[in-house]
Each structure stands twice: as structure tokens, then as C-alpha cells.
Amino acid sequence: MSSSVLSTKRAAHVAIHPWKLIENQWNAERHIESESLFALGNGRMGQRANHEETFTGDTLPGSYIAGVYYPDKTKVGWWKNGYPEYFAKVLNSVNWIAIRAQVNGVELDLNTCAVESFYRELDLEHGVLTRTFTAQMPDGTRVSVEATRILSIVRDEIGAVRFALNVDHHANVRLAAALDFNVTNHDANWEETFWNAQDAQAANREGWVVSETKKSEFRVAAAQHCTWEWAEGGELAAGASASSPSAAGAAPAAEGTWSAEARTGWAENSWEGPVNAGQTLVLTKYAGVVSSFNAPAQEVPVRAAERAREAAAAGWDALLAEHRAAWRAKWDTADIAIDGDEAAQQGIRFNIFHLLQTFTGVDERLNIGPKGFTGEKYGGSTYWDTEAYCLPFYLASADPKVARNLLVYRYKHLDKAIENAAKLGFKNGAALYPMVTMNGEECHNEWEITFEEIHRNGAIAYGIYTYERYTLDRAYLAEFGLEVLLGIARFWAQRVNWSEHRQAYVMLGVTGPNEYENNVNNNYYTNFMAAWCLEYAAYAAQYVREQHPSDYARIVTKTLFRAEEELAHWADVRTRMYYPFWEEKQLFLQQDGFLDKDLVPVADLDPAQRPINQKWSWDRILRSPYIKQADTLQGMFFFEDRTDRELLRRHFDFYEPFTVHESSLSPSVHTILATRLGYAEQAYAFYLRTARLDLDDYNHEVREGLHVTAMGGAWMSVVHGFGGMRLVGEQLTFEPALPAAWTRLAFHLVWRGATLHVELTPGTLTVNVVDGPDTEFGVGSQTFTAKKGTPVIASV
Amino acid sequence: MSSSVLSTKRAAHVAIHPWKLIENQWNAERHIESESLFALGNGRMGQRANHEETFTGDTLPGSYIAGVYYPDKTKVGWWKNGYPEYFAKVLNSVNWIAIRAQVNGVELDLNTCAVESFYRELDLEHGVLTRTFTAQMPDGTRVSVEATRILSIVRDEIGAVRFALNVDHHANVRLAAALDFNVTNHDANWEETFWNAQDAQAANREGWVVSETKKSEFRVAAAQHCTWEWAEGGELAAGASASSPSAAGAAPAAEGTWSAEARTGWAENSWEGPVNAGQTLVLTKYAGVVSSFNAPAQEVPVRAAERAREAAAAGWDALLAEHRAAWRAKWDTADIAIDGDEAAQQGIRFNIFHLLQTFTGVDERLNIGPKGFTGEKYGGSTYWDTEAYCLPFYLASADPKVARNLLVYRYKHLDKAIENAAKLGFKNGAALYPMVTMNGEECHNEWEITFEEIHRNGAIAYGIYTYERYTLDRAYLAEFGLEVLLGIARFWAQRVNWSEHRQAYVMLGVTGPNEYENNVNNNYYTNFMAAWCLEYAAYAAQYVREQHPSDYARIVTKTLFRAEEELAHWADVRTRMYYPFWEEKQLFLQQDGFLDKDLVPVADLDPAQRPINQKWSWDRILRSPYIKQADTLQGMFFFEDRTDRELLRRHFDFYEPFTVHESSLSPSVHTILATRLGYAEQAYAFYLRTARLDLDDYNHEVREGLHVTAMGGAWMSVVHGFGGMRLVGEQLTFEPALPAAWTRLAFHLVWRGATLHVELTPGTLTVNVVDGPDTEFGVGSQTFTAKKGTPVIASV
């Protein structure tokens, strides 16, 4: 095993289980981590696993709504021309799960009660979060709670909580459902709040709160409809307050009191009354959360109320049942089964679960933030991670329109990418996609990244290529793809300059995927991707011209494409591009100056010096040879079928020993390449680090949220790595390499109209067409054809 | 003339005069510029030329006290390991010049009155700021004012203002002297105020205000003692208020009223009463400004009061007379006279004036901020500018102890420089002096500068070399110099790394003097300076060992100097240092990648694209070949006597055409080098840009303050450039080259115990020993000896 894989994982506090995350005891110190790990989402909104009831201990409240952001004024020490004015941040939004429970006048709060037992479970298969605990109140009353929560994957503006409370002595209980919009972001640049409260109302058993974001003027409303009942049967009747419109047919409990209260940013509905020893009071809270991202602003509050009533009308059982079924159906195409290694099994399902709940593909205005819906960090914005690490998962696990929507997202941002390039001095429709974006505008403000980590443009073109090759949906090029590729190619053609000295095109002042080098010249990966983009854009132009002439004419007119001249220039740049190369060792160099470095391998570093991003000053990191994540190797990974295995081996053997893998995106690529090279032990070590990165908290930062985009890398590690699935040309092929401990690996592939089931056991590959047309695939030099219902078994 | 010298000077609003700055009319739009240009200082404190009386128009209030700073919390977008926690900022301090004049109850304010005439004069020869104006009040009363201000160069905690007010109608006048500590900094990172008010008192004709800086806890007090009198004779007697202790013997004016008022941060003494038409009321305000930088904190207020009383006791006439005489005496050694070019004459005296009032050399804890006492920008902190641009002026114009104190300043910061290097991973007493500092700690927070613009270490060693060579005070090496040089040499020896590939020592990841390239490898200047430092430190070690053995023993013990081993390593690094070199053209390259750039000379740039630091995004600047200020040439400038003229010419001819001179420190070095190469026209164009940079506001930023450190460069342009004074080895030599328009150039040199007067006319150089021993100097291949009273006349 490579000593460069630093094992710093923490003792897990979540039990191993193939389908669940389970915590068996209350651990206040790790609660914030659990809030990340147990987070729920449904593509439209997300919610960290914050406690419903009041909690005065350490917590990172997080309720996020896809697409709703705040343009936080840029904070820099030294302004550079070209910096954007703001950083779009995902907002901590309304706390719609809030419940307040008081027993004999004292707030139930796990921070102040004596917690006697605690159990938390996230059911990955069905998307349900459950928590049960028993706590003793200061007055000795023992309170038991079972709280269940869903964010409906069927109705994506609906969430629901069922909160059952039992007391072991007769007690006066107040159980309130609240909506709380008095929220802040931890990562606000200027310690501002991001919301203006607009309205709060509560009456009978319903309430709503409405707020608008400052500057970006997104309006968000949360509404609730609440029911209280006895677990033992019977809803509670009205006491002193007016009868609720939805309270009907329950046994009267005359001494209970309903009330409702609204104040700025807060709406609350409550019931208060006596609860007998052993009796269980159940509050069900149906919430609607609607934003002006999806509805006309003036309709937002009413729609939220409608969603809450719709949920209440369906009822808890039905809502839960449809939600569970829909989740189960997702797994039918997305699951990966691993036998013989339960930690790996749990890890991969945990990753798939979060990918599925972060992006459902129904809205092409949405994308995948590095932390998904599990934290504020990185602003919930879109990075190149999507195309480089996430797209393959969605392509293989869901309807092709899901992946297509990820591409359309970039198409819709093309005008902004052209504006962005123009701001930096590029002309003639050149497009530079932003490093970080929420709405197409650049949000990042660190010159060496914002202006120089331009390889992202290559990943966006590569995403189109990946999609086109996988689906054969070439019409996409005519409809959307070519325009994007033109903008990108024009950028690269201008970004290089001719070096008289080298008699070649060079690319100066870039930052490659290895962000531990900044402002370098001739980063191999960037130069390679640029040349490839020029080639691919030329291919796309030719394809569209020949196959979709009317689209081609439209695009030429729109983009003022001077085909002959531009194509000739692209070809010139591509063929005379400079690549730093070390003749002696036949190695492409990461950048011009790499060989001048003090080439001490990571294994020879004092472990006390690691991770270097915490121990070393930035300049020392920059001049060191240490690589944060695959860089030269990233290109060889993207273009495996153009990369000779011995070339790959030379480069892997040279670069991996300098790689510190301090990016969550590093181990997955290395898993796949190591597998290809037959470095089995190393591959498996990398895999654990990617698939259980968050569960085992390798980077000690899971508190801030999960590494959601890295989870796409974990999926690739299994399917492309150990499963050995890859495209050679346009042909599906398998070259599997099961880790030693695994007795079976099985996964599905959504593949050109078919759903395939792929099963691997030591020495045997079985491919079954679950649904759809006959499917051809290769194993080694052999080609097989699988037909529905007739599995093909191949030796591997 | 090089087309790279961009002429963007603005129409001057200050009249040309050999000894004065004069403004003949009120120009509200340019008042903030004048506040910079007409600023006063006395080494201990400084004051922008803000109006004394209330002014509600655009103004940048600025009252600065040397050494008093605030550690403003660092503001960055993305934190990098090693960044300092704060940026030390010079503080806008108490406004001690404040006067409030009310005529018939209406505030005199040039922003609201009709200004009928206005005259402002800064007498450079005597350090006196005078302003006269006539303004019509809204009620028609015509008010004439003559305000005179000094910051005593003799008693550096004393300032005084004489404010004479005349009315053309009988009017009720209130004339108040105020001390105002309710001040803010424009450049505060977090929009905080930096002061906590502590005390304010006013009684009789005296008052004080006392405040303390937040965090840094500097205490500052300003006190005033005021007198009111009739210009026509006679002090005003007490009216309703208590008789002032110092008001004695004046004719009674029963209807006048004195009053005193104090509130938070404000103390005011006033007189109010009738003034007849044509009568002139004179307020003289004697101020003491004392800080805990110079006095025990508890004594600060009392000392301020004492200073104010001391000034009042001396009286305005005596105070003014001693101040004028002291200024005149400074010019006796510091003046440069230019005949035939009044603009150049004014420019150089203006520069010398500001250098003299910024640093007087009496306190080795003080230094020269890039803006001196004329603005907030750059924090009033110390940069490498001091050693590289200012030291030669002070060496040649004042007692050697003035320059020596600039060196001792760095010696006293050595421990902090060692800590700073340790923070960045350097060991064993290696010292990295800060890029920007107030007290020895690094304040800068931009990785490519803070961590990488390390050539500053070379300048600090070069400062010692300059001093030692000029004064022959070698004992300085034993006392202080060697320790500093050891720390610097140790830094360089660790900062390089051995490149297996090149079989040489390389220096990766630096920013040279040309800040338009960042994080480059093998910057020629930096490598050159590093090697030279290693050589000079070795020389110094040997010298001290031989000549001052007991000092040597002390230093070895203190620094744990392993002489044999370290010297051997230094020699190895020095002799095997790598320098990028272009064989074909026999040129040292600015850095490894310079030849890969698109080498379009500045002359071919669209003028609309300039200045590039305003027009281009940062990445575009970085990958361009454009040079902000001398870089490779800076080393050849520093070591002219090691630089063959043809080598210099090749490099000047190659680099200057790529130089945009967008640093105020660029034109002076180019003046001197162009002179040496016989490029007379170019030299003169550069000179105007340096000597009149602020007067003609070439950079359109004089509002923010003057380029005080660049003024040292202007001095060098004249004396080292046109005057051709330089050291060859240790020999004083002259190789003059008068600009065509100049009929005479004369300057003094303080030179090894002598004061020389050097006069140049076309073809003739005259050197006279005004005072001191016989002095040898060279002109061409000839050597002369000048004796006191017997001028030597040489043909040139």
C-alpha cells in the first residue's frame, strides 16, 4: 500500500449496517457530524439532521432550498481587477422542523436533560430519519420520544415530522410545532443576516412564515398543518381555543388547550394539557416549503399553505408509504451490492443515497454543490466536480434526461460565460465558465483560482463528450452542445500564446487540478484538455454541419462562427501545442518547473508535517512537489482509451508517490487507475478513503457537511474501478478486478434504453438485461450480447 | 524618448516657484490633492493640509503620530497558512489644528461661503504653511482670514496655528480652538473606529483630549493653550467667564465672553464678542501632542499640557523664528539647486522637503512609510523602499547617525524576523524581514507578496553594505550588522533547493520587484541578491572575526553560528546558484519563463489599454511581458560597479521596452541607468516623472498621499544620475551628465566627516570642501583632492 495514503480516519460513531446509518448512543461531541451524515434531501430542499425539539448544545442548523442564494459581498484583502462583486451563497433557510416540547413547564432539551438512551437511524433504502430517546427531566419525569422525518421525494415541496412523546408520570405537556425564520449563515462574510422577514401568521392548527432574501429577492414561505393525537387512539379535542377545522371525530379532552402565536419570523401552533403516565402524545407536522425559484413571488405563501394541507389530507401513513416506495424504486437502478465487506457496502450506499437526494434531475436550473444540502461551505454552488465526478453516476443510474439536464444547465449559462471571458479580455464569443457559480456568474475571488484554474472549461466540454458517447444522443450537439463547445474552443485558442522561443503554443499562468501549484506555465493537463477541446469542437462542428444543417446555419448566424478561419487556427494550436516532457524518463511533466523541485516522495516526509495544508505555509506547499489530487493523471483517467497502459504506469509510478490526496476528489481517480494497473492493495486503500471519507471522517471536517461531489467519485471507483466498466470507443466493456475481500459485487446500469444488471463474483461476470433491448459488451478481446432474461456469464 | 513612459500628468494647479508651492485660487475639486501636497511633518508627527476651520466639503482628514498604529484585523477572502492576524495601520489621530469660526452665528466654511480670493503657500525653505482667503458669508459679511501653521522641527511635540480673522462689517464673532479626537480611518478593514476616548477637559484658555488606541493601547493626548488678541494690538480681556491665568495686561473688552467646553473626544476654548469693521481678531493656538510611544502612559496628558504651555511661553514669534532657522540649516546640507529648469528645481526641493520632514533620524524606532505623514494608505509602515530608495539621501544629506538609525531599526526587529521565518518553516535562526511592518511583525497578507516577495531581505543587507561603504563605519558590522546578515544568509541558504535536473541551486516560487509576475522560479534579481548576501555575510563574518574578536565570540554564542559548516554551505550555494540566461542574446532572464511570453513591446500596446493595472485583469497582467518597475535592472543598478556597461546596455535595451513604470519606484532607477548609458532624452523624461510625480499627479492618486519613499529615488536621479556621483569600490567618483536645459546643478554631500559642495555647469565640475578634511574623488580616470576653501575644478 502506498504510504502516501494517510490514514487519519476517526473511530466511527456510526454502526456498520448494509442499509442503515445507526447511532446507538447520545454523543453530544459528535452531534454536529451526525447532523451532516444523517441529513435528508429531495433535490428541491435539504435538511441537516438537527433535532426537532429545542437544543441548546452545539449544532449547525441547516435548512437549504435549491436555487435560493444570497450574493454575499466579496471579501478580499487586496482587490484584483476582474474579481466578482459577490459570492453566491446557499442560504440557511427556514427551520420548518422545529418542535418545542415542555414538560411541567420545563423545555425538553438534550443539552440539559439526562439522556438515558438514544438511537438515531437513517434508513438509506427508504429515505427515513428516525430518532428515539429517553431523557429524564430535572423534575424526575422520564420522557420518551420517537421522532420520524421525511422530505418527500415524491412531492418535493413537502416535508413531514411525526413526533411521539411519552411520559412516565402524569405531567403537564406543551407540544408546539414552530416555523422559525430567524436564521443566520455561519459563513456570512460580513456577519449580516440574509433574510428580511415579511409575514408570519398562525391560527387554529396552521401557520406560515414568509421571508425574502436581501439583494437576490428570493421569497420563501414555510407553512405547517399540525395534528395532535394519542398514540393509543383518538385525536385531541379542542379545549379553550377555537376548534381546529381539521380536528374532528376525536374523543374530547376538555382540559387541553390549543393556541397559536406569530411574531416576526416565527409561527407556532401548540397544544398544552395533561398527559397521563404511559400515555403517548403524537404531533404530526405537515410542512410545505415553497420558494419563488419555483412559483410567482406573490403566490409563494399560499402555495406553501396548500402543500401543507395537501400533505395533511394525504395523511402521514400514505405520505410515508409513497415516499418509501419511490426511494425503493430509485435503488432498483442505482444500487450497488457488495458482499463480504459490510463497511464498503454501507459506504457506497451512503454515497449513492446522498447523490440521489441532492440532484433528482427534474430541474435543469439546479446542480450539485460540493456539500449538497448538508452544509453551507462552498456556497452550495456548482464546480467542475459535476462534470468530472458526478455525471457518470447519473448517466448510469437514472433516465438520460437527468444527466442531460446537467448539461443544459451549462448551456443556459453560456451567455454569462461569454461575459465572464470578456471581462478578462477575451473576444469574439470566447467563453470561460466560472470556477464557482450559482446562476452562471463567477463567484470565486482568488486570482490563482478564479482567473487561472481554467481547466474547468475542459471538464465542461468533457461532460458533453461523456454524455454523447454514453447515450449516443448526438442530436444534443445540434440543439445545445456545439454552441458551448464553440465558446470553449474560442477561449482556448485565445488563451494560448505563440512562443517564439519554443516555436510552439504555450499556456502561461494557470492552476491545474493540483491546487498546490499556482500560476504555473504549461500545465500538462490544461494544455492537453485545451487541445482536446479544440479537436472535439471541430468534430462537433463538422457533425452538426453534416447531420443537422439547419441547426448549423442557426448557430453560425448566432455565434458569427467563421468556420474556415477558426477551424484552421484551432488545428494549428492543437497540433503545435507545447507539452513539457522529460525525455530521459519519457514522462509528461505536470508543468514547466516540476523537475526543479526538491523531489522527496511523500513517504519520506515526517508524518508530523501532514496534512501539509494544515502544517505548512502556502509558499512552502507551492514550491514543494506535493500534489493535492490527480493532475497529469486526471487527463490519463479521462482519456483512458487513448492512454497506453505502460505510459499510464510510468506516470502513476512517478506522480502518485508525490500525491498527498488532500482533496476529497483524489482517492477515487487513483482507485480506478490503480485497479487498471493491477495495484490491488493500493486501489482498495484508496477506495476506503473515498467511499467512507465522511462516515469515517478522514478529513476531520464532516461537521461542515458531506463531500457530496466526491461521492460520485466513490461510485466510479466501484463501477469503473473494481467493476472495470468503461467505454472503449463507444463499446461497453468490462475489465473487473474485485478486491480480495469481496465475494460479490452487483450493480445496475442504465444503458442506451436498457437496464442492465451486472454481477461479479471471483472469476465470473454475469450481465443480465433486466429490461430493454439486446446489449453488446466486451470482456477482454471477446464480445458478448446479452438479451432480456438470458444472463450472459463470462469468465474474468 | 521611450514610448513606454506614459505621459498622463494632470494640469498642475500649483504654481512653479523654486522654493514654494503656491495655489492662487480656491479649487474645491483639487483640495484633497492639496491636502497631500501641502502636508507638514516634523518626524514625530504629521498633518495634512486640512483647513483649520470647519469644512464640510471633500476632505481627507489626516493627523498622524509616528509609531502609533492600530493592528487592524486581517481581511482576506481565503485564508492561507502563515498569514498574519492583523495589518498595522497608521492612525488618523487627534485633529489638533481645529478652529471654529462663527460670524453672526453662521459657521465659516469654505464649502458654503462664496470664496472671493484664496491663496495657499507652502514655504519649503522654512516649513511654514500659510493660507489667506476672503469669503462672503450668507449675510453679506466679508471675512478675511490669514492662517499660518507650523509643526515645530525644533520641538517635535509642538505645533502651532495662528488664525487671524478680519470682518468688513461690525459683526458678532465666535472664534474657538478645538481638539477633536472623534476621528476615523478611511481605510479601516471593518469600518471600526480605532480609538477609545479617555478624557476631555477644557477650562480657561486650555484644554486637552486623551484617547487610547484599541488593542495596541497607545495613549495619545493633545493639549492646547490659546490666546486671542487684536492684530492692531492688545489682548482681549475677560468678559463673563473667569479670567484666564495667562490673560494679563490687555485692554478690557467687557462685552467679550470666554468659554470652555469638553465632551467625549472634544475640548474647545472660545471667545465670542463683537468685532468692528476692519478689526482683525487673532487666535493663536499652541498645541502639544504627546503619545505613549515617547512617554509613560500616565504622564501623556500632563506632558501634552506642558508642551502647550511651553510653546505659549515661548510665544509665536520665537517659535516661528527657531523653526524657520532650523529648516534653513537643514537645507545647508540637503539642498539641490538647479538653474535653467524651474519645474525641476521645484520638484526636487519638494521631494527633499518631504523626506526631511518624514524622518529626522532622532529615533531608531521610526522609519519612512511610503506615504510618510501625508495619508493612510500602505499603513504608514516600513517597506524595502527605505533601504533601496531612501538610505542614500539620508547618508548624503545628514549626520551619519541618521542613516545608522535606519539600520538599527532593522537590527531591533531581528528577533521578529527570525520568528517570521520560523512561522514559514525556516530553522536555525534564519531571518525573513517582513514585507510591511510597523514593529517588526509582518503585516502583509497576500501570499504572492507576503511569502514570496522575499528579495526584501536582500535590500536590508544591501542597506548595511551601502552604509558601510559610504561611511567606512565598519564597527557597525561588529555591533549590529553581522547578526542581521547571518539571519539573512541563513534564510537564503535554506530557501534555495538543489535541482537534480539542473545540477544547480534554484529558487522557486518568488515574486521579484516586478510585482506583475508572481510565484515565478529563478527570478534573476532574487537569485543574484541571495548569492550576494551569502558573499557579503561571509565577508562580514570574517571581518568581525579578525577585527572585533570579542564581538565575534559574543555573536557566535548568541546565534549558535557554526562558522565552518555554514560558510562552506553558503559558498556552495553561491557558486552553484542557477541564473536563467539566454545564450543567444547573452541576456539574464527575469525568470525561467520569460521567453515564453508574447514579447510585444509596450510601444506597440494600444494606449487605451493603459495603465494595464487599471485596464487588465490580473491574470492577463501576469502572463504579459510587462514590467512594473526595474527588476533585472534593479540588481545592475545596485551593483553598477560590478556591471559592465555593455552588459547593462543589452539588458536596458531589452527590458526597458517592456517596462510600464506603473510603480512610483520605477522611473528613478531608469533615470540613473539611462544617464549612465548616455540616453539623455530618456533619462530626462524619466526624471520629470519621478521628481514631479506628485506635483503633476502622474498617477492620479495624490489625493491619498504623497509617494514619499519614491522621493528618495528622485534625489538619487539627480545626484547619482545627472550628478553622476557614485562609489567605485570605496572611492567617490563623478560622471556627470547634465540635462540639456540645466545650466547649473549644485548639491551638498555629507561625506566621511566632510561637507562637500558639488557644482556642475556644462563641461565643468567644481568640488568644494565646505567643512572637514581633505577629500579625494575621481572623475573619469583622474583623481583629485579637494581641500577646505580650495575648490577643485574638473572638466567633465
Side-chain angles (χ1 to χ4, degrees), chain B residues 175-230:
Chain B
L175 197 55
L179 300 167
D180 181 4
F181 228 136
N182 298 307
V183 293
T184 55
N185 260 45
H186 275 234
D187 70 345
N189 278 350
W190 307 94
E191 290 164 30
E192 301 172 288
T193 58
F194 294 156
W195 294 97
N196 285 322
Q198 293 192 316
D199 189 23
Q201 296 191 28
N204 300 327
R205 300 180 192 180
E206 298 191 326
W208 75 32
V209 289
V210 187
S211 288
E212 193 176 76
T213 58
K214 294 178 183 170
K215 296 192 209 169
S216 48
E217 295 181 356
F218 286 106
R219 197 172 204 202
V220 170
Q224 64 185 7
H225 183 105
C226 312
T227 65
W228 288 258
E229 60 196 315
W230 301 113

Side-chain angles (χ1 to χ4, degrees), chain A residues 252-275:
Chain A
E255 66 273 51
T257 307
W258 274 281
S259 60
E261 186 199 339
R263 55 178 195 270
T264 304
W266 178 277
E268 180 178 294
N269 302 93
S270 64
W271 179 86
E272 179 167 5
V275 177

Side-chain angles (χ1 to χ4, degrees), chain B residues 412-421 432 434 439-441:
Chain B
K412 294 207 163 179
H413 290 178
L414 178 59
D415 288 346
K416 291 271 171 61
I418 291 172
E419 276 172 38
N420 185 38
L432 174 61
N439 63 357
E441 290 169 23

Side-chain angles (χ1 to χ4, degrees), chain B residues 304-495:
Chain B
E306 286 171 2
R307 289 292 93 76
R309 282 180 195 160
E310 170 195 330
W316 171 260
D317 291 341
L319 217 53
L320 183 64
E322 72 182 19
H323 173 77
R324 289 172 57 94
W327 263 107
R328 186 51 251 176
K330 281 182 178 281
W331 290 105
D332 286 346
T333 53
D335 187 31
I336 293 180
I338 296 170
D339 289 353
D341 188 344
E342 222 169 34
Q345 173 67 81
Q346 183 185 39
I348 194 64
R349 284 201 175 120
F350 172 72
N351 291 331
I352 293 169
F353 175 75
H354 279 289
L355 287 165
L356 290 174
Q357 69 175 1
T358 300
F359 183 72
T360 58
V362 297
D363 188 338
E364 86 282 346
R365 297 170 304 165
L366 300 179
N367 209 286
I368 306 144
K371 302 268 177 208
F373 292 121
T374 67
E376 300 171 2
K377 216 179 161 184
Y378 302 117
S381 316
T382 310
Y383 289 65
W384 70 295
D385 303 24
T386 294
E387 283 79 5
Y389 291 88
C390 299
L391 192 63
F393 165 76
Y394 293 103
L395 268 177
S397 307
D399 189 278
K401 71 171 187 284
V402 172
R404 192 176 200 270
N405 272 346
L406 288 173
L407 306 190
V408 174
Y409 175 90
R410 297 291 192 182
Y411 174 77
K412 294 207 163 179
H413 290 178
L414 178 59
D415 288 346
K416 291 271 171 61
I418 291 172
E419 276 172 38
N420 185 38
K423 231 170 99 175
L424 303 184
F426 296 87
K427 299 170 202 162
N428 186 30
L432 174 61
Y433 277 90
M435 188 66 204
V436 178
T437 194
M438 192 63 91
N439 63 357
E441 290 169 23
E442 177 64 86
C443 286
H444 202 277
N445 57 359
E446 204 179 14
W447 64 265
E448 63 273 21
I449 306 289
T450 314
F451 302 148
E452 299 206 338
E453 200 172 333
I454 52 177
H455 67 77
R456 59 195 184 243
N457 245 12
I460 286 160
Y462 184 75
I464 297 172
Y465 172 72
T466 303
Y467 171 81
E468 182 223 326
R469 199 159 75 121
Y470 193 95
T471 63
L472 299 183
D473 172 16
R474 300 241 144 86
Y476 182 79
L477 293 177
E479 194 177 356
F480 298 123
L482 177 58
E483 279 183 63
V484 170
L485 295 171
L486 275 182
I488 287 173
R490 285 168 160 180
F491 173 81
W492 291 122
Q494 293 172 45
R495 186 55 170 74

Side-chain angles (χ1 to χ4, degrees), chain A residues 703-749:
Chain A
R703 302 163 64 91
E704 299 169 345
L706 307 177
H707 296 86
V708 172
T709 49
M711 292 173 171
W715 181 89
M716 289 196 288
S717 296
V718 177
V719 175
H720 294 173
F722 304 130
M725 182 281 246
R726 43 176 64 80
L727 268 63
V728 175
E730 290 169 356
Q731 159 101 61
L732 180 65
T733 66
F734 295 94
E735 188 182 336
L738 271 193
W742 297 12
T743 54
R744 176 176 164 270
L745 165 64
F747 52 87
H748 290 86
L749 291 178

Side-chain angles (χ1 to χ4, degrees), chain A residues 283-554:
Chain A
L283 164 58
T284 309
K285 171 173 182 165
Y286 301 97
V289 182
V290 176
S291 81
S292 59
F293 190 75
N294 291 313
Q298 71 279 11
E299 294 179 19
V300 162
V302 171
R303 285 213 196 175
E306 285 172 1
R307 289 293 92 78
R309 282 180 195 161
E310 171 195 328
W316 172 259
D317 292 343
L319 217 54
L320 184 65
E322 70 180 23
H323 174 76
R324 290 172 57 94
W327 262 107
R328 185 51 252 176
K330 281 183 179 281
W331 289 106
D332 288 346
T333 52
D335 188 30
I336 293 179
I338 297 170
D339 289 353
D341 188 344
E342 223 170 32
Q345 173 66 80
Q346 183 186 37
I348 194 64
R349 285 202 175 118
F350 172 73
N351 291 331
I352 294 170
F353 175 76
H354 278 289
L355 287 166
L356 291 174
Q357 69 174 2
T358 300
F359 183 71
T360 58
V362 298
D363 188 337
E364 86 281 346
R365 296 169 305 165
L366 299 179
N367 209 286
I368 305 144
K371 301 267 177 209
F373 292 120
T374 68
E376 301 171 1
K377 214 179 162 187
Y378 300 118
S381 315
T382 310
Y383 288 65
W384 71 293
D385 303 25
T386 294
E387 284 79 5
Y389 291 88
C390 299
L391 192 63
F393 164 75
Y394 293 103
L395 268 176
S397 308
D399 189 280
K401 71 171 188 285
V402 172
R404 193 177 200 271
N405 273 346
L406 288 174
L407 305 189
V408 174
Y409 175 91
R410 297 292 192 180
Y411 174 77
K412 294 207 161 177
H413 290 176
L414 178 59
D415 288 347
K416 291 269 170 63
I418 292 172
E419 276 172 37
N420 185 37
K423 231 170 97 173
L424 303 185
F426 297 87
K427 300 171 203 162
N428 186 30
L432 175 61
Y433 277 90
M435 188 67 205
V436 178
T437 193
M438 191 64 90
N439 63 357
E441 291 169 21
E442 178 63 86
C443 285
H444 202 278
N445 56 358
E446 203 178 15
W447 65 266
E448 63 274 20
I449 306 289
T450 314
F451 303 147
E452 299 206 339
E453 200 172 333
I454 51 177
H455 68 77
R456 60 195 185 243
N457 244 12
I460 286 159
Y462 184 74
I464 297 172
Y465 172 71
T466 303
Y467 170 80
E468 181 222 327
R469 200 158 74 120
Y470 192 95
T471 63
L472 300 183
D473 173 18
R474 300 239 145 85
Y476 181 80
L477 293 177
E479 195 177 357
F480 297 123
L482 176 57
E483 279 183 64
V484 170
L485 295 171
L486 275 181
I488 288 173
R490 284 168 161 180
F491 173 81
W492 290 123
Q494 292 172 45
R495 185 57 169 74
V496 296
N497 67 272
W498 178 252
S499 167
E500 272 302 310
H501 174 63
R502 294 201 197 268
Q503 289 291 303
Y505 287 97
V506 294
M507 185 123 53
L508 307 182
V510 305
T511 294
N514 172 25
E515 290 173 326
Y516 288 175
E517 287 185 333
N518 291 160
N519 194 45
V520 298
N521 296 335
N522 295 310
N523 171 258
Y524 169 77
Y525 172 78
T526 306
N527 286 18
F528 177 85
M529 288 302 286
W532 172 81
C533 285
L534 294 170
E535 174 191 329
Y536 184 55
Y539 149 82
Q542 188 185 347
Y543 171 80
V544 175
R545 188 176 55 206
E546 287 169 5
Q547 302 295 322
H548 301 268
S550 66
D551 282 311
Y552 185 76
R554 170 180 58 78

